[in-house]
Amino acid sequence: MAFHCQILLQLVLSHALLILIFSGLISTRVTVHGFSIKEANVDDLQLAFQQNKLTSRQLVEFYLGEISRLNPLVHGVIEVNPDALYQADKADGERKAKAPGWLSELHGIPVLVKDNIATKDKLNTTAGSSALLGSVVPRDAGVVKRLRDAGVVILGKASLTEWSDSRSLTLPDGWSARGGPGLNPYVLSASPCGSSSGSAISVAANMVAVSLGTETRASMICPANANSVVAIKPTVGLTSRAGIIPISLRQDSIGPICRTVSDAVYVLEAIVGFDENDAEATKQASKFIPHGGYKQFLKPDGLKGKRLGITRIPFLNYPSGSVVPNTNGCNLEINNIHVILNVNQSGEATALVAELKLALNSYLKDLVVSPVRSLAEVIAFNKKFSDLMTKSLEEYGQGIFLVAERTKGIGPVEKAALLNLQKLSRDGFEKLMIDNELDAVVTPGADFAQACHLASALGD
Ligand SMILES: *[C@@H]1O[C@H](CO)[C@@H](O)[C@H](O)[C@H]1NC(C)=O
Ligand SMILES: *[C@@H]1O[C@H](CO)[C@@H](O)[C@H](O)[C@H]1NC(C)=O
């Protein structure tokens, strides 16, 4: 299990290279007391706080300005927190009262959370769907509670592919009925990927410093890759799933999407750990949190002596006739990779639709108030209101929801599918790592995330 996390940190490092390239292109400067906020990372912001060059209030005001300027174009944010300035003032007061060193790295830093992560405040938690408008969550999600304890400012809710892309196969990446079409700020015509699109769009466009996303199948790694930012997809259970509008308790995970590796590590450090509302999984995974936390690994030579693998097929295919670089025999392959990448052949689709119905029904039942109490009621809502709200709602359909509604729990077919997934993982990604004694795999793009998420999901 330990190596699953390492591999994702490795993916992260490949994005870090992209960040260096892009930050060189951005010349606009917005300054307060001679300090440039735009592109500043968490360390820069904390230093500016300490040197009295910046307050949390000024930082929140800057981001609110950027949201009103840019969000009508890129649609990364669904809602802004009416209490954000109040929380910023509170953080500014606490900073004055405490000696430096007593506050966490994230104290006073604005955070945007994906709209499928519950916040018990004035913000709605809807997964982008109007069906959940007006619903009242029982409590903050476990990860949100941890962020509040660290002293962050909850800036608002990030847009997403509606229902984290579990509604239909035809939804455009980044689109939701409430959020509109999320766009990639670097190339507006390019996909922002999903489903944590708004989290990645918003940090890439400097509408917020750091954000949270969730992943079931590449839903953080893919938008991070598409928007040239950093994501860490934790092993399932390392971060609490309590209060997340779910897809599959076997595969769902919550993690940071930020502009730099160190910012992502600060957020990871703040959100991991045991949560009584997701007790079994978080207790199991807590064992793998390194003694002394993750920050100690933030060092320039951290990869020294590590053994890295490259899997060429199908992640690194060169067109025929190319001069293929010599990779010193580092030419690994994952067994059955084409089956693993096909949700229908692997059995993943069979498992996911049955798990979706169970998990979503349970989330909806636990809400204090809600217009919909089951997947069946969400489907009925979509049918009834599609014309009133947006034409797209009807146009994009709800094919996955309809298939999920027809399932009847985890029966023999689903059990066989789950066993097959376990076998594919054991003979595939896990075997690759163990046989080759790898610490990590280096890969371009985000497709590889789909090959290792089965392993991280099975608790072994
Ligand atoms: C939450 O949704 C309601 C509509 O049901 C809306 O009036 C309210 O402004 C929303 N909250 C925020 C913080 O946007
Ligand atoms: C899986 O099956 C669905 C429904 O038949 C189909 O629409 C989809 O394209 C298939 N996916 C893959 C990867 O083959």
Side-chain angles (χ1 to χ4, degrees), residues 17 28 49 51 112 155 163 201 205 233 251 283 402 430:
L17 297 178
T28 334
F49 287 156
Q51 296 176 339
L112 192 69
L155 188 66
W163 293 103
I201 290 167
K233 198 292 263 187
Q251 282 184 217
K283 188 169 158 226
L402 295 174
E430 291 174 55

Side-chain angles (χ1 to χ4, degrees), residues 276-422:
E276 61 183 7
N277 295 313
D278 187 11
E280 206 181 305
T282 54
K283 188 169 158 226
Q284 287 290 324
S286 287
K287 287 188 258 176
F288 298 97
I289 299 174
H291 190 70
Y294 297 95
K295 279 181 284 188
Q296 58 185 312
F297 303 112
L298 285 173
K299 46 186 184 189
D301 62 351
L303 282 178
K304 211 169 174 177
K306 300 289 181 215
R307 212 170 136 79
L308 309 179
I310 295 173
T311 54
R312 185 171 306 286
I313 299 168
F315 307 107
L316 245 184
N317 279 332
Y318 294 99
S320 70
S322 308
V323 179
V324 177
N326 179 1
T327 47
N328 265 336
C330 262
N331 235 339
L332 310 172
E333 229 182 295
I334 294 179
N335 292 330
N336 303 310
I337 186 63
H338 295 288
V339 177
I340 290 171
L341 292 180
N342 184 315
V343 284
N344 297 332
Q345 279 179 33
S346 66
E348 193 181 355
T350 303
L352 282 177
V353 286
E355 290 166 335
L356 168 66
K357 182 179 177 182
L358 294 171
L360 188 58
N361 280 347
S362 157
Y363 173 89
L364 295 171
K365 235 174 245 136
D366 281 351
L367 291 169
V368 178
V369 175
S370 179
V372 285
R373 286 296 186 178
S374 64
L375 175 60
E377 289 182 18
V378 174
I379 290 171
F381 177 97
N382 283 343
K383 279 193 185 135
K384 187 167 169 198
F385 291 108
S386 57
D387 297 336
L388 288 178
M389 288 186 307
T390 143
K391 222 175 153 169
S392 309
L393 192 58
E394 193 171 29
E395 188 181 317
Y396 298 141
Q398 47 180 343
I400 302 178
F401 275 181
L402 295 174
V403 172
E405 182 53 28
R406 285 199 293 272
T407 62
K408 296 189 170 66
I410 306 296
V413 176
E414 288 77 15
K415 278 190 187 135
L418 288 167
L419 276 176
N420 196 45
L421 292 178
Q422 216 153 12

Side-chain angles (χ1 to χ4, degrees), residues 78-82 122-124 133-134 178:
I78 293 191
E79 280 186 8
V80 159
N81 188 356
K122 292 177 184 151
L123 293 159
N124 296 290
L133 253 191
R178 290 197 63 223

Side-chain angles (χ1 to χ4, degrees), residues 53-68:
K53 288 183 178 163
L54 180 72
T55 62
S56 292
R57 169 172 272 269
Q58 286 168 331
L59 185 57
V60 169
E61 282 170 346
F62 169 77
Y63 288 137
L64 293 177
E66 291 300 271
I67 291 169
S68 51

Side-chain angles (χ1 to χ4, degrees), residues 1-186:
M1 191 142 165
F3 57 65
H4 303 147
C5 227
Q6 287 173 357
I7 189 176
L8 290 153
L9 270 169
Q10 183 48 34
L11 282 167
V12 155
L13 290 175
S14 68
H15 300 309
L17 297 178
L18 285 172
I19 284 167
L20 295 177
I21 296 162
F22 278 101
S23 57
L25 296 176
I26 290 160
S27 56
T28 334
R29 291 200 160 255
V30 180
T31 58
V32 179
H33 301 303
F35 170 74
S36 168
I37 300 178
K38 207 163 184 167
E39 299 288 324
N41 64 21
V42 168
D43 284 333
D44 299 334
L45 295 170
Q46 288 296 353
L47 189 64
F49 287 156
Q50 270 174 39
Q51 296 176 339
N52 295 318
K53 288 183 178 163
L54 180 72
T55 62
S56 292
R57 169 172 272 269
Q58 286 168 331
L59 185 57
V60 169
E61 282 170 346
F62 169 77
Y63 288 137
L64 293 177
E66 291 300 271
I67 291 169
S68 51
R69 195 168 73 83
L70 299 172
N71 201 54
L73 179 64
V74 296
H75 301 281
V77 179
I78 293 191
E79 280 186 8
V80 159
N81 188 356
D83 291 332
L85 283 170
Y86 165 79
Q87 289 177 8
D89 288 341
K90 188 164 163 272
D92 287 332
E94 284 167 1
R95 193 176 313 108
K96 275 195 198 122
K98 293 235 167 136
W102 279 91
L103 300 171
S104 87
E105 284 84 5
L106 294 180
H107 185 268
I109 300 290
V111 180
L112 192 69
V113 305
K114 188 177 175 182
D115 189 43
N116 65 342
I117 302 175
T119 53
K120 182 84 176 163
D121 51 19
K122 292 177 184 151
L123 293 159
N124 296 290
T125 303
T126 68
S129 166
S130 307
L132 280 177
L133 253 191
S135 68
V136 176
V137 300
R139 63 190 79 82
D140 277 337
V143 289
V144 169
K145 180 176 183 310
R146 282 183 176 272
L147 284 177
R148 289 198 207 272
D149 289 347
V152 309
V153 174
I154 302 288
L155 188 66
K157 289 284 169 78
S159 65
L160 70 171
T161 316
E162 197 178 294
W163 293 103
S164 306
D165 214 5
S166 71
R167 199 189 94 183
S168 135
L169 289 171
T170 56
L171 283 193
D173 286 338
W175 181 90
S176 71
R178 290 197 63 223
L183 301 184
N184 185 322
Y186 284 114

Side-chain angles (χ1 to χ4, degrees), residues 160-219:
L160 70 171
T161 316
E162 197 178 294
W163 293 103
S164 306
D165 214 5
S166 71
R167 199 189 94 183
S168 135
L169 289 171
T170 56
L171 283 193
D173 286 338
W175 181 90
S176 71
R178 290 197 63 223
L183 301 184
N184 185 322
Y186 284 114
V187 183
L188 293 175
S189 59
S191 167
C193 201
S195 67
S196 304
S197 42
S199 310
I201 290 167
S202 301
V203 294
N206 293 317
M207 296 194 290
V208 70
V210 299
S211 71
L212 285 190
T214 68
E215 171 153 335
T216 307
R217 310 183 71 243
S219 266

